Amino acid sequence: DANIITRRHQLRDIVRTMAGPIRKLSTQGMVIGVERAQIERVWLTENLIKLIVLSLILVIALLSLLALFWQLYSRYRRRAMENWVNLNRLNTIVSTSQDAILVVCPSGLIIDGNNAADAMFTLPPSNQTPLMISDLLFRANDDGTNVSLTGEQLATSCADGPNLCSYLTARDLSLI
């Protein structure tokens, strides 16, 4: 330690000569650190901008879908209301008609009928097994025999509008 005290002037000179390169090295290290930080800041900024743009696009897409769903829902509700009004109108017409009206699907299954049809054909209650139109209506052949009328034949004959067919006969279900 006495040796260090006696050589301190020499050590001071060595430190002074090394101060320049140490400052230069330190400055270069700080410059490199600043450059890296700047590169990272630029990279982060670019990615944040991309993220913000993508978020805005997603928000716009979400709002567009919301507007589309609202429009479709409004259209659905309007059509449902129109259908409800038409269904009530048709139900009133069918239920108050003095003519017998049967609602038949293309397979021939009798779906519904009004009171006049119930009385005319003595249809079973709606909670029982539904009937087929072929159990009820028959078409007369040229030789005079009766052939069951299928749902497809009935739909085909009604496709061109109402027609009057004098070759149809109905079976009274109360006799079965």
Side-chain angles (χ1 to χ4, degrees):
D1 298 307
N3 190 17
I4 294 177
I5 293 175
T6 58
R7 297 178 103 206
R8 72 174 182 232
H9 296 295
Q10 201 176 20
L11 286 173
R12 193 180 318 147
D13 291 341
I14 292 172
V15 169
R16 282 185 189 154
T17 59
M18 292 181 62
I22 290 173
R23 278 191 201 112
K24 186 176 179 184
L25 184 62
S26 175
T27 305
Q28 286 177 349
M30 285 189 280
V31 168
I32 290 172
V34 168
E35 287 174 353
R36 283 185 183 167
Q38 183 62 26
I39 290 170
E40 286 179 10
R41 247 185 262 120
V42 168
W43 181 81
L44 283 173
T45 304
E46 288 174 356
N47 285 335
L48 282 174
I49 289 172
K50 289 177 186 177
L51 184 63
I52 289 170
V53 168
L54 285 175
S55 297
L56 288 175
I57 289 171
L58 286 174
V59 166
I60 290 170
L62 181 65
L63 290 175
S64 299
L65 284 174
L66 182 65
L68 178 66
F69 283 141
W70 180 255
Q71 182 183 15
L72 290 174
Y73 175 75
S74 298
R75 188 180 303 162
Y76 163 77
R77 291 296 299 154
R78 185 177 57 250
R79 286 183 182 169
M81 185 57 78
E82 289 170 1
N83 289 341
W84 184 76
V85 168
N86 287 337
L87 184 63
N88 281 341
R89 184 179 308 130
L90 288 174
N91 191 24
T92 301
I93 290 170
V94 168
S95 64
T96 59
S97 175
Q98 299 298 319
D99 295 325
I101 299 175
L102 293 174
V103 180
V104 180
C105 66
S107 67
L109 186 68
I110 299 174
I111 299 171
D112 197 10
N114 64 353
N115 291 337
D118 289 343
M120 180 181 287
F121 299 117
T122 58
L123 297 174
S126 60
N127 60 355
Q128 290 183 358
T129 305
L131 292 175
M132 299 294 288
I133 194 68
S134 58
D135 297 333
L136 188 64
L137 290 180
F138 298 91
R139 187 187 65 204
N141 279 340
D142 293 335
D143 63 358
T145 59
N146 289 332
V147 178
S148 295
L149 184 67
T150 66
E152 283 184 18
Q153 291 170 333
L154 185 62
T156 303
S157 70
C158 295
D160 298 329
N163 56 28
L164 180 60
C165 183
S166 58
Y167 301 112
L168 288 179
T169 57
R171 178 187 305 175
D172 186 356
L173 295 177
S174 64
L175 301 176
I176 298 177

